[in-house]
Amino acid sequence: MFEAAGLYDPDAPDARERLALLRWLTERGFTAEEIAKADADPATTLEALAGQRAVRRGKVHTPREVAARLGITTEDLAGKLLASGYVAAGLDEVVLTDLDVAALESFVAAAEVFGDDPIEQFARVVAAAAARVAEAAATLFIAAIEQPLIEDEATPVVLAQANLAASYSLDTVPVVMEALLRSQVEAANRRMRLSRQDSDEATVAIGFVDLVGFTPLSRRLDDAELGRVLDGFESRASDIATRHDGRVVKHIGDEVMFVAVDPNAACEIALELVEAVETLGRGVRPRGAVAFGPVLQRAGDYYGPVVNLASRVAELAVPYEILVTEELVHAAEHWSLAFKPAGRRMLKGFEEPVSLWELQRDD
């Protein structure tokens, strides 16, 4: 059977291992046709085939069937699928699982309350977050499981079993995600209320910390070393921001953007992050900036002149320096902080010079 399907050559050097893998797959219900299709697909491997099916298991439906079930047009469904991050598919392709249908039903119900456009924008935010989680999970599996097995010359069956086990471990993710989401919703609601105590718009501290000379550093280090530097930077940023009731908004290459309602907390985040990043070694030289004022909150991100100001000021700082705006100096309590005048600077995009201060610890 396998020879007739062009899947097996008994004279090949790896014939024994290949046959064992093919038999292992057929024992799990895969047909020769399905195996041949996967074998010809550059986006998959036979070792990953069973794991991929386990990720998207259950009954599957076409978009046309799902649209009819939800009582919406196929065009409306296509918009919701696109916003939710699904790869485009034909109306009669069998691609949507029962779980996908349940998620789409939730979006349709929510749209009746909040409106189509707001819900589709929310879906984009959720999809972007899920995509990042998925990329992190795939990277974790390759680095921690698959690559060591390959280096140990594990058989194809062992690799396939590892892929399948990793896929089934996703069953624990919904519980974890629900717990984390509920905790973060509580924190977000608290930050929202605190940031809007005296105004209809949010007033927060926005900070940026980046790594000076990262481009030449990236050329000097190999991928593994560079990965360790970035992992160290990102993990320190997340831990420090969380400890001070702030949040990392995003990472932009070698730069991190964070937010905190309390200007004192934002200063502590910037100071501790610069101090912590220094310990990474490898010639890493951090610098940063913090600004304070009203911002536009949208889809989990922040926009407006205060954000632009913080970003521009960070570009002026020298290594190990943190520059802050006058508004932040006036808003902060100085009992553990010191602010040294750093002059008035012209910034790109700003018509008037901006008064800046260097943030230091009050020793």
Side-chain angles (χ1 to χ4, degrees):
M1 175 181 68
F2 298 133
E3 288 185 67
L7 292 169
Y8 174 64
D9 178 2
D11 296 322
D14 62 343
R16 182 177 178 179
E17 291 82 2
R18 174 80 169 186
L19 182 59
L21 176 60
L22 294 172
R23 287 173 172 168
W24 186 85
L25 289 170
T26 55
E27 288 170 1
R28 276 145 192 84
F30 288 93
T31 66
E33 182 180 1
E34 290 173 323
I35 297 172
K37 182 179 179 181
D39 198 36
D41 185 353
T44 190
T45 64
L46 295 189
E47 290 84 353
L49 184 56
Q52 289 175 339
R53 175 183 282 183
V55 169
R56 301 276 291 163
R57 61 183 181 268
K59 187 177 180 181
V60 288
H61 316 269
T62 69
R64 193 186 303 279
E65 293 169 342
V66 173
R69 175 171 170 176
L70 298 179
I72 60 177
T73 66
T74 54
E75 291 78 10
D76 191 12
L77 177 65
K80 287 179 168 50
L81 289 172
L82 183 62
S84 302
Y86 287 88
V87 177
L91 288 176
D92 296 308
E93 287 188 65
V94 183
V95 292
L96 298 174
T97 68
D98 285 338
L99 193 59
D100 297 325
V101 176
L104 289 163
E105 285 175 334
S106 297
F107 280 132
V108 170
E112 293 178 358
V113 178
F114 298 100
D116 283 327
D117 289 344
I119 287 302
E120 287 193 3
Q121 181 58 27
F122 179 72
R124 292 184 184 96
V125 175
V126 173
R132 183 172 182 184
V133 171
E135 292 271 1
T139 301
L140 175 64
F141 171 75
I142 291 172
I145 304 296
E146 187 173 75
Q147 193 57 42
L149 286 174
I150 291 174
E151 291 172 0
D152 289 342
E153 299 182 348
T155 67
V157 170
V158 170
L159 287 171
Q161 291 170 335
N163 270 272
L164 184 58
S167 297
Y168 277 121
S169 70
L170 290 176
D171 290 342
T172 64
V173 171
V175 176
V176 175
M177 291 300 294
E178 181 177 1
L180 294 178
L181 178 60
R182 289 182 181 277
S183 173
Q184 290 301 321
V185 166
E186 181 182 31
N189 284 336
R190 185 183 68 253
R191 285 194 296 266
M192 189 82 70
R193 289 192 297 271
L194 291 173
S195 70
R196 296 172 181 265
Q197 288 186 93
D198 303 316
S199 173
D200 291 336
E201 57 186 351
T203 300
V204 299
I206 297 289
F208 287 87
V209 172
D210 70 2
L211 307 179
V212 180
F214 182 78
T215 299
L217 178 70
S218 65
R219 290 195 294 263
R220 190 170 71 249
L221 302 181
D222 61 32
D223 289 347
E225 291 177 307
L226 188 63
R228 283 192 286 272
V229 169
L230 289 174
D231 287 346
F233 181 38
E234 293 186 5
S235 62
R236 283 164 172 79
S238 178
D239 291 349
I240 291 169
T242 300
R243 187 159 57 241
H244 292 284
D245 199 22
R247 179 175 77 86
V248 170
V249 178
K250 57 189 172 184
H251 293 274
I252 313 165
D254 62 336
E255 182 177 60
V256 63
M257 172 183 171
F258 64 87
V259 62
V261 176
D262 182 356
N264 304 288
C267 290
E268 282 296 332
I269 292 169
L271 286 165
E272 289 187 24
L273 183 52
V274 167
E275 292 164 355
V277 171
E278 284 185 63
T279 65
L280 291 175
R282 299 294 186 182
V284 174
R285 299 180 297 160
R287 64 179 178 181
V290 186
F292 183 78
V295 298
L296 171 64
Q297 294 175 293
R298 188 169 181 82
D301 208 339
Y302 295 80
Y303 303 89
V306 171
V307 178
N308 297 336
L309 177 59
S311 178
R312 294 297 184 193
V313 172
E315 295 172 358
L316 293 179
V318 299
Y320 312 111
E321 181 181 51
I322 302 169
L323 295 175
V324 301
T325 62
E326 194 164 36
E327 291 78 8
L328 184 133
V329 174
H330 291 324
E333 299 173 0
H334 295 199
W335 60 272
S336 64
L337 304 172
F339 299 96
K340 176 182 176 182
R344 290 167 59 82
R345 313 281 185 92
M346 289 300 302
L347 301 175
K348 183 178 179 181
F350 293 82
E351 295 181 359
E352 299 294 331
V354 177
S355 295
L356 298 177
W357 302 71
E358 182 182 353
L359 170 63
Q360 300 175 338
R361 294 200 178 280
D362 187 4
D363 298 326

